Structure formats: C-alpha cells, structure tokens
Amino acid sequence: MQAQLETLITACKKGNQMAQMQLYDQYCNAMFTVAYRYLNNEEDAKDAMQEGFLKAFVNLENYNPEATFGAWLKRIVINKCLDVLKKRKIEFSRVEVSELQIIDDNDWRFDSSLTKKDILNAIAQLNEKHKIVIKLYLIEGYDHSEISEILDIPIKTSRTHLRRGKLKLQELLKQKYNEARY
C-alpha cells in the first residue's frame, strides 16, 4: 500500500493526470468529511476540498514522506477551511488568560449514555472559535503548538479557547443527559 502510494506521488510530481485522479479518488471522501466538519456547508466543503487538492498538487515537491500523505493533505484542507472561516470574519484574537487555570487536556470523559452524535451535536452548538479549537484538538489530534501555528494564535490562547469550549461542551452535554433522564 505504501509503495503504491509512493509510486502515485512520484507520478503526480511528474504531472501525470491519471495518477492525480487516482490520488484524488483515494482521499476525496475523507477530505470532504474533514472540510464539512469545519464549514457545515456542502458547497463550501467541496470548494475547500478542491482548493486543498489543487494546492497539494502544486506543492507536492514540499511533501515530506516522514509524515503520512493523508495527514499532510488534511492539514492543507483544514487551512483552506480556516481561510473560508476567516473570510466570514471569525477572528482568533488573544484572550486574557490570567484568570483561567490550566486544565487536563486529556480528560474528555463523557457520560456513557451519551452517543457520538450527541457529542458532535453539542460541539456544533459552540462558539465558532471554541468549536474550531476543539475540533482541531479532539477530532484531528493536533496539540496546542500545532493549533497555535495553524490559527496563528499564541499557545495560551489555544488553551483558553479549548478550556472555554470544553466547559461549555460539558454544560451542553449535562443538559442533554438531564433531558434524556426525564
């Protein structure tokens, strides 16, 4: 599988359009899912995904095989999504962090009666800034230094958005849990 992928990438670097289509076909569904998760609009997600692929093909020489191709492509697509969100005027400003305590980023336990759909629906209700940081952290698996680089914000701001988003998420899920009990 890896050898096949490397062969495809080499052919793409030489401008082989058939190889580009094969690579596109292999990753398009996953990249659409990623884009849709951020943009919540099918057309915007398709556009961001397409632009991400175009950028990837143009910059294929910059691909470093130490990272998986899928992870490299996902980062490009996420950046395209963030460009769309920035155009919508979602600004990630520095926030005052002095009154906040550092949280345990790894403690994301939810009540076992809550479904994945319940959690994703609750995330969708969050403030856009918090939602994006939570998605980057919880779903995509980026750490705070990566998030700060992607969003061009300080690491402390990433932590703050995550904390505030997590608190609101816990509140929403607690409310959902209580509704389900009655």
Side-chain angles (χ1 to χ4, degrees):
M1 178 70 180
Q2 185 61 30
Q4 229 177 1
L5 183 60
E6 288 174 19
T7 303
L8 271 178
I9 291 170
T10 301
C12 288
K13 286 180 179 180
K14 294 177 182 175
N16 182 320
Q17 291 182 346
M18 198 67 143
Q20 289 175 340
M21 282 305 299
Q22 288 178 327
L23 203 57
Y24 177 85
D25 289 343
Q26 192 170 341
Y27 286 94
C28 68
N29 290 336
M31 293 306 118
F32 174 78
T33 301
V34 168
Y36 189 81
R37 196 166 32 232
Y38 287 88
L39 301 174
N40 295 318
N41 176 293
E42 200 170 306
E43 292 305 312
D44 288 345
K46 285 179 186 175
D47 289 345
M49 177 194 69
Q50 296 287 352
E51 289 177 28
F53 271 101
L54 288 173
K55 184 172 183 176
F57 288 139
V58 167
N59 293 293
L60 211 46
E61 293 298 326
N62 297 329
Y63 166 64
N64 181 351
E66 289 178 16
T68 66
F69 179 78
W72 181 74
L73 180 60
K74 183 197 291 190
R75 186 151 192 175
I76 292 171
V77 171
I78 288 172
N79 284 331
K80 286 295 173 189
C81 293
L82 295 174
D83 289 344
V84 170
L85 293 172
K86 286 176 186 173
K87 286 178 186 171
R88 291 181 189 166
K89 300 291 184 219
I90 296 171
E91 294 187 26
F92 290 88
S93 58
R94 294 175 181 262
V95 290
E96 186 58 48
V97 295
S98 59
E99 79 282 357
L100 294 175
Q101 300 171 345
I102 299 297
I103 57 167
D104 179 2
D105 289 341
N106 298 315
D107 184 13
W108 286 90
R109 290 175 288 192
F110 299 109
D111 187 279
S112 60
S113 67
L114 294 168
T115 66
K116 180 179 177 182
K117 186 176 180 180
D118 292 334
I119 295 167
L120 291 174
N121 286 340
I123 290 172
Q125 294 176 49
L126 296 175
N127 165 303
E128 202 68 31
K129 295 174 193 177
H130 302 151
K131 182 187 327 182
I132 290 170
V133 172
I134 283 181
K135 286 179 180 179
L136 287 170
Y137 184 85
L138 191 59
I139 298 172
E140 309 302 341
Y142 290 117
D143 64 25
H144 287 294
S145 64
E146 292 169 318
I147 293 169
S148 85
E149 184 181 319
I150 290 168
L151 298 177
D152 193 26
I153 58 175
I155 292 174
K156 285 184 177 182
T157 301
S158 172
R159 288 187 181 280
T160 300
H161 285 311
L162 183 70
R163 174 170 174 68
R164 290 179 180 169
K166 183 178 180 181
L167 292 172
K168 182 65 177 172
L169 183 60
Q170 288 172 331
E171 180 184 312
L172 290 168
L173 291 172
K174 186 175 181 180
Q175 190 176 32
K176 173 72 177 165
Y177 173 75
N178 288 334
E179 287 172 7
R181 286 183 32 201
Y182 297 106

